[in-house]
Amino acid sequence: MHLSPTDPPPRVLHVTQPVDGGVARVVTDLTRAQLAAGLRITVACPDSPLAARLTALGADVRHWPATRAPGPSLVDEVRRLARVVADVRPGLVHAHSAKAGLAGRLAVRGRIPTVFQPHAWSFEAVCGAGAALARGWERWGARWAGRMVCVSEAERRLGAAAGVRGRWSVVPNGIDVERFRPAVADTVRAELLPELDPRRPLVVCVGRLCRQKGQDVLLAAWDSVLRRVPGARLVLVGDGPDQGRLRAMAPTSVLFAGDVADVVPWYQAADLVVLPSRWEGMALAPLEAMACGRPVVVTDVGGARESLPPGLATHCLVPALAPAALAGAVTALLLDPTLRASLGDRGRRHVLSTHDVRRTAQAVADVYRELLDARDVSTEYRESVHS
């Protein structure tokens, strides 16, 4: 970016819907890092705990009412967002996930350098005609993104295979390695679950209770785990639309922690963390668990292989929608504490070296710089042609 010492730093407008889960954590971490770097940050999002957290960090938060999924309200949502853009006058727009990516690109239409970050593609969440429409939109909307940022090479390949064309950057997810750190499991467990015998193995699954995260697959596998590890307990941490259905499926050995203010103690309390997702870009939960020194079992969906240290796939990776394979992997690790300790140590070292959020924030800043430099060069060229 060609800025003189007297130039103000560029204003970045983040646009996000959803306002919970991994997307919210990514927006929060980027906002914190970018404010610390001296950027001026505005975030457009619905009223939510996320909006309050971002305000507390020092961001300029603009209320943008928007539903989670596309629908009849989209036209009004785009108009409202266009008014926010006109008022904020950002130097760059960064739209997060499918809904904000749709509304943000329609509101800006390439007039301002725009980054679109899918956080898993919209067409993965639907089937049939819905998936075809989503792929068509992503192909068409790519014209208005100066850069598409994917969190894994698998996510980028999936977009390219769907016919999405544009300039790509792959920036793996990062997490706060100072916040997510090991602790003595028995001590934390005694605080969280004082009624639980600390000698009983504890499996934890952190994620929104929804189809994407696959808790139903884990519950389908859980009876098989209990047959070989009779004292095991499972805790589902999170809330979401599938809560009622999952509670109806769950035996008494499964606990529902709900939506907690801080997930760190739940990772620290676990013997094993499991995320049986149907699709992902690159999930944060396994990275957070490994940063806490806990072994993980994850399904072989987008970004999962890339998030694991080399050599861990044998123990930690299973096919999606395969309860028997999931039960086998979980059982094997619950019965082998020495292997769990080794995997947890290797996982933490991997996250420290590869998935520190500071590395992620710097990589995103490099993308911004390239886009803003390209805009400056284009402006200088147009001015020289017309002078």
Side-chain angles (χ1 to χ4, degrees), residues 294-340:
R294 298 302 180 252
V296 298
V297 172
V298 296
T299 45
D300 192 5
V301 295
R305 286 180 180 270
E306 296 169 58
S307 69
L308 294 173
L312 261 67
T314 301
H315 304 288
C316 302
L317 197 68
V318 299
L321 301 175
L326 182 62
V330 170
T331 300
L333 287 177
L334 290 182
L335 294 175
D336 194 337
T338 302
L339 178 58
R340 289 202 311 270

Side-chain angles (χ1 to χ4, degrees), residues 65-81:
T67 61
R68 191 178 183 105
S73 61
L74 177 63
V75 173
D76 285 339
E77 291 165 355
V78 171
R79 287 174 180 159
R80 286 193 291 264
L81 186 57

